[in-house]
Amino acid sequence: MAELQNKNEIAIKVSGIKKSFNVGGREIPILYGVDFEIKKGEFVLLVGPSGCGKSTLLHIIYGLEAPTEGTVYIGGEDEWAFSKNWRANFRNDNIGFIPQQPFWIKSLTVIENIAIPAVIAGRTFQEGIQIGAKLIELVGMSEWSNHRPYDLSGGQQQRIALARSLLLDPKFLIADEPTGNLDQKAGEQLMELLQNISQKFQITILMVTHNTEQYKFGTRIIQMVDGKIISDTPNKHSYQAIKDDLSSRKNSNEAKKSK
């Protein structure tokens, strides 16, 4: 029962989110009242055409862009009820972020770049290096530890960005089209890593993507058009859905046999 309750725990709740930008004295609406909940351990893909408001919504959830109206609860905290400094500390402690184009400090090695969030969080650089060594192994990039990030391919850099996003043991990962600049093979490899990490560590992931071939990796697909959600459906073809279905059938068969 404890596992069931944990599985159904609400990790992210978005309620009535509206967003407008002032352009030349005119209010231009971008989001028109967005509502959804994400349960702990879900891997949710936010999809839709360019300009539909996906990235704006992602930045609001991440705490970078203030909504015009509405609330965002992450881990039970009303994110926009607090100060900018509170949100910065909350992000650092709880949320890993993977951008489409990662930023690196050119003078530092791969492992040193991974360790940077530890310093920002008030830990020692050496502690960051030690944790980073385990994470770089997790993403299969140990042999590149002492290289410079810009010497790596796009796919390799995104694996490093994933390792860096996990450094402070976040409860949530937010990814803004991390496969957007990758070829098909590198994109598939990154998606498999994200899927495995979500399943293994029960990290909640919200990711924006345009690639329909990647839908199979998510547990849910939320589709946006013109600043509104037009569909929110479980992914019947995801690994987790298939696993749950097989488990349900097995339990059902065992119950029939016991009668």
PDB file of all heavy atoms in Angstrom, residues 129-159:
ATOM      1  N   ILE A 129      33.332  16.667  -7.537  1.00  0.00           N
ATOM      2  CA  ILE A 129      34.107  15.781  -8.407  1.00  0.00           C
ATOM      3  C   ILE A 129      33.813  14.318  -8.077  1.00  0.00           C
ATOM      4  O   ILE A 129      33.624  13.480  -8.981  1.00  0.00           O
ATOM      5  CB  ILE A 129      35.627  16.052  -8.250  1.00  0.00           C
ATOM      6  CG1 ILE A 129      35.990  17.462  -8.767  1.00  0.00           C
ATOM      7  CG2 ILE A 129      36.442  14.981  -8.968  1.00  0.00           C
ATOM      8  CD1 ILE A 129      35.922  17.612 -10.250  1.00  0.00           C
ATOM      9  N   GLN A 130      33.728  14.000  -6.800  1.00  0.00           N
ATOM     10  CA  GLN A 130      33.488  12.616  -6.372  1.00  0.00           C
ATOM     11  C   GLN A 130      32.098  12.130  -6.798  1.00  0.00           C
ATOM     12  O   GLN A 130      31.949  11.003  -7.295  1.00  0.00           O
ATOM     13  CB  GLN A 130      33.648  12.506  -4.853  1.00  0.00           C
ATOM     14  CG  GLN A 130      35.086  12.681  -4.382  1.00  0.00           C
ATOM     15  CD  GLN A 130      35.204  12.770  -2.863  1.00  0.00           C
ATOM     16  OE1 GLN A 130      34.194  12.831  -2.152  1.00  0.00           O
ATOM     17  NE2 GLN A 130      36.428  12.777  -2.368  1.00  0.00           N
ATOM     18  N   ILE A 131      31.097  12.981  -6.597  1.00  0.00           N
ATOM     19  CA  ILE A 131      29.743  12.606  -7.013  1.00  0.00           C
ATOM     20  C   ILE A 131      29.673  12.533  -8.536  1.00  0.00           C
ATOM     21  O   ILE A 131      29.076  11.622  -9.115  1.00  0.00           O
ATOM     22  CB  ILE A 131      28.707  13.612  -6.482  1.00  0.00           C
ATOM     23  CG1 ILE A 131      28.731  13.664  -4.952  1.00  0.00           C
ATOM     24  CG2 ILE A 131      27.303  13.254  -6.972  1.00  0.00           C
ATOM     25  CD1 ILE A 131      27.903  14.787  -4.365  1.00  0.00           C
ATOM     26  N   GLY A 132      30.303  13.523  -9.189  1.00  0.00           N
ATOM     27  CA  GLY A 132      30.302  13.568 -10.647  1.00  0.00           C
ATOM     28  C   GLY A 132      30.916  12.333 -11.273  1.00  0.00           C
ATOM     29  O   GLY A 132      30.467  11.869 -12.334  1.00  0.00           O
ATOM     30  N   ALA A 133      31.947  11.761 -10.636  1.00  0.00           N
ATOM     31  CA  ALA A 133      32.604  10.560 -11.167  1.00  0.00           C
ATOM     32  C   ALA A 133      31.624   9.392 -11.244  1.00  0.00           C
ATOM     33  O   ALA A 133      31.664   8.580 -12.188  1.00  0.00           O
ATOM     34  CB  ALA A 133      33.800  10.198 -10.293  1.00  0.00           C
ATOM     35  N   LYS A 134      30.724   9.284 -10.266  1.00  0.00           N
ATOM     36  CA  LYS A 134      29.725   8.219 -10.270  1.00  0.00           C
ATOM     37  C   LYS A 134      28.672   8.466 -11.346  1.00  0.00           C
ATOM     38  O   LYS A 134      28.224   7.534 -12.023  1.00  0.00           O
ATOM     39  CB  LYS A 134      29.056   8.122  -8.896  1.00  0.00           C
ATOM     40  CG  LYS A 134      30.010   7.735  -7.775  1.00  0.00           C
ATOM     41  CD  LYS A 134      29.301   7.726  -6.436  1.00  0.00           C
ATOM     42  CE  LYS A 134      30.274   7.394  -5.305  1.00  0.00           C
ATOM     43  NZ  LYS A 134      29.601   7.432  -3.983  1.00  0.00           N
ATOM     44  N   LEU A 135      28.306   9.735 -11.515  1.00  0.00           N
ATOM     45  CA  LEU A 135      27.262  10.066 -12.476  1.00  0.00           C
ATOM     46  C   LEU A 135      27.757   9.954 -13.918  1.00  0.00           C
ATOM     47  O   LEU A 135      27.006   9.539 -14.806  1.00  0.00           O
ATOM     48  CB  LEU A 135      26.734  11.484 -12.207  1.00  0.00           C
ATOM     49  CG  LEU A 135      25.951  11.629 -10.906  1.00  0.00           C
ATOM     50  CD1 LEU A 135      25.652  13.090 -10.621  1.00  0.00           C
ATOM     51  CD2 LEU A 135      24.662  10.826 -10.951  1.00  0.00           C
ATOM     52  N   ILE A 136      29.010  10.325 -14.138  1.00  0.00           N
ATOM     53  CA  ILE A 136      29.545  10.227 -15.496  1.00  0.00           C
ATOM     54  C   ILE A 136      29.661   8.758 -15.907  1.00  0.00           C
ATOM     55  O   ILE A 136      29.527   8.406 -17.074  1.00  0.00           O
ATOM     56  CB  ILE A 136      30.902  10.970 -15.601  1.00  0.00           C
ATOM     57  CG1 ILE A 136      31.205  11.286 -17.062  1.00  0.00           C
ATOM     58  CG2 ILE A 136      32.028  10.184 -14.973  1.00  0.00           C
ATOM     59  CD1 ILE A 136      32.403  12.185 -17.255  1.00  0.00           C
ATOM     60  N   GLU A 137      29.851   7.891 -14.921  1.00  0.00           N
ATOM     61  CA  GLU A 137      29.849   6.456 -15.185  1.00  0.00           C
ATOM     62  C   GLU A 137      28.438   5.987 -15.508  1.00  0.00           C
ATOM     63  O   GLU A 137      28.226   5.155 -16.396  1.00  0.00           O
ATOM     64  CB  GLU A 137      30.397   5.698 -13.974  1.00  0.00           C
ATOM     65  CG  GLU A 137      30.486   4.189 -14.178  1.00  0.00           C
ATOM     66  CD  GLU A 137      31.070   3.460 -12.982  1.00  0.00           C
ATOM     67  OE1 GLU A 137      31.507   4.122 -12.016  1.00  0.00           O
ATOM     68  OE2 GLU A 137      31.069   2.216 -13.011  1.00  0.00           O
ATOM     69  N   LEU A 138      27.450   6.541 -14.789  1.00  0.00           N
ATOM     70  CA  LEU A 138      26.049   6.192 -15.012  1.00  0.00           C
ATOM     71  C   LEU A 138      25.619   6.473 -16.444  1.00  0.00           C
ATOM     72  O   LEU A 138      24.847   5.705 -17.037  1.00  0.00           O
ATOM     73  CB  LEU A 138      25.159   6.972 -14.032  1.00  0.00           C
ATOM     74  CG  LEU A 138      23.648   6.774 -14.150  1.00  0.00           C
ATOM     75  CD1 LEU A 138      23.259   5.361 -13.730  1.00  0.00           C
ATOM     76  CD2 LEU A 138      22.910   7.797 -13.298  1.00  0.00           C
ATOM     77  N   VAL A 139      26.107   7.569 -17.024  1.00  0.00           N
ATOM     78  CA  VAL A 139      25.716   7.937 -18.390  1.00  0.00           C
ATOM     79  C   VAL A 139      26.707   7.409 -19.433  1.00  0.00           C
ATOM     80  O   VAL A 139      26.626   7.757 -20.616  1.00  0.00           O
ATOM     81  CB  VAL A 139      25.540   9.466 -18.539  1.00  0.00           C
ATOM     82  CG1 VAL A 139      24.478   9.973 -17.584  1.00  0.00           C
ATOM     83  CG2 VAL A 139      26.865  10.211 -18.317  1.00  0.00           C
ATOM     84  N   GLY A 140      27.641   6.573 -18.990  1.00  0.00           N
ATOM     85  CA  GLY A 140      28.552   5.914 -19.915  1.00  0.00           C
ATOM     86  C   GLY A 140      29.602   6.804 -20.546  1.00  0.00           C
ATOM     87  O   GLY A 140      30.011   6.583 -21.690  1.00  0.00           O
ATOM     88  N   MET A 141      30.082   7.818 -19.786  1.00  0.00           N
ATOM     89  CA  MET A 141      31.030   8.776 -20.354  1.00  0.00           C
ATOM     90  C   MET A 141      32.313   8.906 -19.545  1.00  0.00           C
ATOM     91  O   MET A 141      33.040   9.898 -19.659  1.00  0.00           O
ATOM     92  CB  MET A 141      30.353  10.151 -20.471  1.00  0.00           C
ATOM     93  CG  MET A 141      29.254  10.226 -21.515  1.00  0.00           C
ATOM     94  SD  MET A 141      29.893  10.100 -23.204  1.00  0.00           S
ATOM     95  CE  MET A 141      30.812  11.618 -23.320  1.00  0.00           C
ATOM     96  N   SER A 142      32.643   7.910 -18.720  1.00  0.00           N
ATOM     97  CA  SER A 142      33.811   7.996 -17.834  1.00  0.00           C
ATOM     98  C   SER A 142      35.111   8.267 -18.581  1.00  0.00           C
ATOM     99  O   SER A 142      35.972   9.011 -18.103  1.00  0.00           O
ATOM    100  CB  SER A 142      33.952   6.704 -17.029  1.00  0.00           C
ATOM    101  OG  SER A 142      32.868   6.532 -16.155  1.00  0.00           O
ATOM    102  N   GLU A 143      35.267   7.675 -19.755  1.00  0.00           N
ATOM    103  CA  GLU A 143      36.530   7.812 -20.478  1.00  0.00           C
ATOM    104  C   GLU A 143      36.774   9.230 -20.992  1.00  0.00           C
ATOM    105  O   GLU A 143      37.889   9.568 -21.414  1.00  0.00           O
ATOM    106  CB  GLU A 143      36.572   6.836 -21.656  1.00  0.00           C
ATOM    107  CG  GLU A 143      35.510   7.078 -22.714  1.00  0.00           C
ATOM    108  CD  GLU A 143      35.557   6.040 -23.814  1.00  0.00           C
ATOM    109  OE1 GLU A 143      36.546   6.021 -24.588  1.00  0.00           O
ATOM    110  OE2 GLU A 143      34.619   5.227 -23.896  1.00  0.00           O
ATOM    111  N   TRP A 144      35.734  10.068 -20.927  1.00  0.00           N
ATOM    112  CA  TRP A 144      35.855  11.437 -21.415  1.00  0.00           C
ATOM    113  C   TRP A 144      35.991  12.456 -20.280  1.00  0.00           C
ATOM    114  O   TRP A 144      35.942  13.656 -20.515  1.00  0.00           O
ATOM    115  CB  TRP A 144      34.641  11.790 -22.278  1.00  0.00           C
ATOM    116  CG  TRP A 144      34.456  10.891 -23.446  1.00  0.00           C
ATOM    117  CD1 TRP A 144      33.654   9.788 -23.528  1.00  0.00           C
ATOM    118  CD2 TRP A 144      35.120  10.993 -24.701  1.00  0.00           C
ATOM    119  NE1 TRP A 144      33.760   9.193 -24.755  1.00  0.00           N
ATOM    120  CE2 TRP A 144      34.654   9.912 -25.505  1.00  0.00           C
ATOM    121  CE3 TRP A 144      36.042  11.888 -25.241  1.00  0.00           C
ATOM    122  CZ2 TRP A 144      35.100   9.710 -26.802  1.00  0.00           C
ATOM    123  CZ3 TRP A 144      36.481  11.671 -26.539  1.00  0.00           C
ATOM    124  CH2 TRP A 144      36.024  10.597 -27.305  1.00  0.00           C
ATOM    125  N   SER A 145      36.170  11.988 -19.064  1.00  0.00           N
ATOM    126  CA  SER A 145      36.181  12.863 -17.886  1.00  0.00           C
ATOM    127  C   SER A 145      37.145  14.039 -17.991  1.00  0.00           C
ATOM    128  O   SER A 145      36.832  15.158 -17.578  1.00  0.00           O
ATOM    129  CB  SER A 145      36.536  12.052 -16.631  1.00  0.00           C
ATOM    130  OG  SER A 145      35.528  11.136 -16.323  1.00  0.00           O
ATOM    131  N   ASN A 146      38.341  13.802 -18.536  1.00  0.00           N
ATOM    132  CA  ASN A 146      39.375  14.839 -18.551  1.00  0.00           C
ATOM    133  C   ASN A 146      39.482  15.582 -19.875  1.00  0.00           C
ATOM    134  O   ASN A 146      40.421  16.351 -20.092  1.00  0.00           O
ATOM    135  CB  ASN A 146      40.725  14.216 -18.181  1.00  0.00           C
ATOM    136  CG  ASN A 146      40.727  13.699 -16.749  1.00  0.00           C
ATOM    137  OD1 ASN A 146      40.221  14.358 -15.840  1.00  0.00           O
ATOM    138  ND2 ASN A 146      41.255  12.502 -16.545  1.00  0.00           N
ATOM    139  N   HIS A 147      38.510  15.353 -20.760  1.00  0.00           N
ATOM    140  CA  HIS A 147      38.455  16.122 -22.006  1.00  0.00           C
ATOM    141  C   HIS A 147      37.726  17.443 -21.767  1.00  0.00           C
ATOM    142  O   HIS A 147      37.115  17.654 -20.717  1.00  0.00           O
ATOM    143  CB  HIS A 147      37.719  15.324 -23.085  1.00  0.00           C
ATOM    144  CG  HIS A 147      38.499  14.176 -23.633  1.00  0.00           C
ATOM    145  ND1 HIS A 147      38.804  13.057 -22.892  1.00  0.00           N
ATOM    146  CD2 HIS A 147      39.047  13.971 -24.864  1.00  0.00           C
ATOM    147  CE1 HIS A 147      39.499  12.198 -23.633  1.00  0.00           C
ATOM    148  NE2 HIS A 147      39.665  12.737 -24.820  1.00  0.00           N
ATOM    149  N   ARG A 148      37.761  18.323 -22.732  1.00  0.00           N
ATOM    150  CA  ARG A 148      36.985  19.553 -22.693  1.00  0.00           C
ATOM    151  C   ARG A 148      35.619  19.267 -23.330  1.00  0.00           C
ATOM    152  O   ARG A 148      35.539  18.581 -24.358  1.00  0.00           O
ATOM    153  CB  ARG A 148      37.697  20.677 -23.457  1.00  0.00           C
ATOM    154  CG  ARG A 148      39.011  21.123 -22.820  1.00  0.00           C
ATOM    155  CD  ARG A 148      38.757  21.877 -21.520  1.00  0.00           C
ATOM    156  NE  ARG A 148      39.966  22.479 -20.979  1.00  0.00           N
ATOM    157  CZ  ARG A 148      40.778  21.912 -20.108  1.00  0.00           C
ATOM    158  NH1 ARG A 148      40.504  20.688 -19.675  1.00  0.00           N
ATOM    159  NH2 ARG A 148      41.847  22.531 -19.652  1.00  0.00           N
ATOM    160  N   PRO A 149      34.536  19.802 -22.751  1.00  0.00           N
ATOM    161  CA  PRO A 149      33.192  19.493 -23.266  1.00  0.00           C
ATOM    162  C   PRO A 149      33.005  19.802 -24.747  1.00  0.00           C
ATOM    163  O   PRO A 149      32.355  19.043 -25.461  1.00  0.00           O
ATOM    164  CB  PRO A 149      32.276  20.376 -22.405  1.00  0.00           C
ATOM    165  CG  PRO A 149      33.027  20.562 -21.141  1.00  0.00           C
ATOM    166  CD  PRO A 149      34.474  20.632 -21.541  1.00  0.00           C
ATOM    167  N   TYR A 150      33.602  20.916 -25.229  1.00  0.00           N
ATOM    168  CA  TYR A 150      33.394  21.298 -26.613  1.00  0.00           C
ATOM    169  C   TYR A 150      34.159  20.416 -27.596  1.00  0.00           C
ATOM    170  O   TYR A 150      34.000  20.544 -28.813  1.00  0.00           O
ATOM    171  CB  TYR A 150      33.754  22.772 -26.818  1.00  0.00           C
ATOM    172  CG  TYR A 150      32.762  23.706 -26.165  1.00  0.00           C
ATOM    173  CD1 TYR A 150      33.114  24.469 -25.055  1.00  0.00           C
ATOM    174  CD2 TYR A 150      31.456  23.817 -26.652  1.00  0.00           C
ATOM    175  CE1 TYR A 150      32.195  25.319 -24.447  1.00  0.00           C
ATOM    176  CE2 TYR A 150      30.535  24.664 -26.055  1.00  0.00           C
ATOM    177  CZ  TYR A 150      30.905  25.413 -24.951  1.00  0.00           C
ATOM    178  OH  TYR A 150      29.993  26.246 -24.354  1.00  0.00           O
ATOM    179  N   ASP A 151      34.976  19.491 -27.076  1.00  0.00           N
ATOM    180  CA  ASP A 151      35.638  18.505 -27.936  1.00  0.00           C
ATOM    181  C   ASP A 151      34.738  17.303 -28.211  1.00  0.00           C
ATOM    182  O   ASP A 151      35.077  16.462 -29.040  1.00  0.00           O
ATOM    183  CB  ASP A 151      36.939  18.003 -27.279  1.00  0.00           C
ATOM    184  CG  ASP A 151      37.991  19.093 -27.183  1.00  0.00           C
ATOM    185  OD1 ASP A 151      37.936  20.042 -28.000  1.00  0.00           O
ATOM    186  OD2 ASP A 151      38.852  19.003 -26.294  1.00  0.00           O
ATOM    187  N   LEU A 152      33.603  17.233 -27.525  1.00  0.00           N
ATOM    188  CA  LEU A 152      32.700  16.093 -27.645  1.00  0.00           C
ATOM    189  C   LEU A 152      31.602  16.354 -28.678  1.00  0.00           C
ATOM    190  O   LEU A 152      31.321  17.502 -29.031  1.00  0.00           O
ATOM    191  CB  LEU A 152      32.060  15.786 -26.290  1.00  0.00           C
ATOM    192  CG  LEU A 152      33.010  15.621 -25.097  1.00  0.00           C
ATOM    193  CD1 LEU A 152      32.218  15.238 -23.865  1.00  0.00           C
ATOM    194  CD2 LEU A 152      34.079  14.590 -25.391  1.00  0.00           C
ATOM    195  N   SER A 153      30.972  15.290 -29.131  1.00  0.00           N
ATOM    196  CA  SER A 153      29.836  15.416 -30.054  1.00  0.00           C
ATOM    197  C   SER A 153      28.622  15.968 -29.305  1.00  0.00           C
ATOM    198  O   SER A 153      28.600  16.011 -28.064  1.00  0.00           O
ATOM    199  CB  SER A 153      29.490  14.053 -30.648  1.00  0.00           C
ATOM    200  OG  SER A 153      28.950  13.192 -29.650  1.00  0.00           O
ATOM    201  N   GLY A 154      27.595  16.354 -30.067  1.00  0.00           N
ATOM    202  CA  GLY A 154      26.386  16.876 -29.433  1.00  0.00           C
ATOM    203  C   GLY A 154      25.736  15.866 -28.511  1.00  0.00           C
ATOM    204  O   GLY A 154      25.287  16.206 -27.411  1.00  0.00           O
ATOM    205  N   GLY A 155      25.683  14.612 -28.949  1.00  0.00           N
ATOM    206  CA  GLY A 155      25.083  13.563 -28.121  1.00  0.00           C
ATOM    207  C   GLY A 155      25.865  13.326 -26.845  1.00  0.00           C
ATOM    208  O   GLY A 155      25.287  13.137 -25.770  1.00  0.00           O
ATOM    209  N   GLN A 156      27.188  13.353 -26.947  1.00  0.00           N
ATOM    210  CA  GLN A 156      28.036  13.175 -25.764  1.00  0.00           C
ATOM    211  C   GLN A 156      27.861  14.344 -24.797  1.00  0.00           C
ATOM    212  O   GLN A 156      27.804  14.145 -23.573  1.00  0.00           O
ATOM    213  CB  GLN A 156      29.491  13.045 -26.195  1.00  0.00           C
ATOM    214  CG  GLN A 156      29.814  11.740 -26.902  1.00  0.00           C
ATOM    215  CD  GLN A 156      31.219  11.724 -27.471  1.00  0.00           C
ATOM    216  OE1 GLN A 156      31.731  12.739 -27.946  1.00  0.00           O
ATOM    217  NE2 GLN A 156      31.870  10.567 -27.417  1.00  0.00           N
ATOM    218  N   GLN A 157      27.759  15.551 -25.337  1.00  0.00           N
ATOM    219  CA  GLN A 157      27.563  16.723 -24.475  1.00  0.00           C
ATOM    220  C   GLN A 157      26.247  16.639 -23.718  1.00  0.00           C
ATOM    221  O   GLN A 157      26.170  17.020 -22.540  1.00  0.00           O
ATOM    222  CB  GLN A 157      27.613  18.006 -25.313  1.00  0.00           C
ATOM    223  CG  GLN A 157      28.993  18.372 -25.808  1.00  0.00           C
ATOM    224  CD  GLN A 157      29.037  19.746 -26.435  1.00  0.00           C
ATOM    225  OE1 GLN A 157      28.469  20.708 -25.922  1.00  0.00           O
ATOM    226  NE2 GLN A 157      29.715  19.857 -27.569  1.00  0.00           N
ATOM    227  N   GLN A 158      25.208  16.128 -24.363  1.00  0.00           N
ATOM    228  CA  GLN A 158      23.925  16.030 -23.672  1.00  0.00           C
ATOM    229  C   GLN A 158      23.945  14.950 -22.605  1.00  0.00           C
ATOM    230  O   GLN A 158      23.251  15.057 -21.593  1.00  0.00           O
ATOM    231  CB  GLN A 158      22.794  15.787 -24.677  1.00  0.00           C
ATOM    232  CG  GLN A 158      22.420  17.017 -25.504  1.00  0.00           C
ATOM    233  CD  GLN A 158      21.888  18.164 -24.659  1.00  0.00           C
ATOM    234  OE1 GLN A 158      22.517  18.597 -23.696  1.00  0.00           O
ATOM    235  NE2 GLN A 158      20.727  18.679 -25.012  1.00  0.00           N
ATOM    236  N   ARG A 159      24.732  13.908 -22.786  1.00  0.00           N
ATOM    237  CA  ARG A 159      24.904  12.911 -21.727  1.00  0.00           C
ATOM    238  C   ARG A 159      25.588  13.556 -20.517  1.00  0.00           C
ATOM    239  O   ARG A 159      25.217  13.293 -19.368  1.00  0.00           O
ATOM    240  CB  ARG A 159      25.758  11.740 -22.231  1.00  0.00           C
ATOM    241  CG  ARG A 159      25.019  10.773 -23.126  1.00  0.00           C
ATOM    242  CD  ARG A 159      25.978   9.774 -23.756  1.00  0.00           C
ATOM    243  NE  ARG A 159      25.268   8.719 -24.444  1.00  0.00           N
ATOM    244  CZ  ARG A 159      25.089   7.490 -23.966  1.00  0.00           C
ATOM    245  NH1 ARG A 159      25.581   7.154 -22.805  1.00  0.00           N
ATOM    246  NH2 ARG A 159      24.419   6.592 -24.656  1.00  0.00           N
TER     247      ARG A 159
END
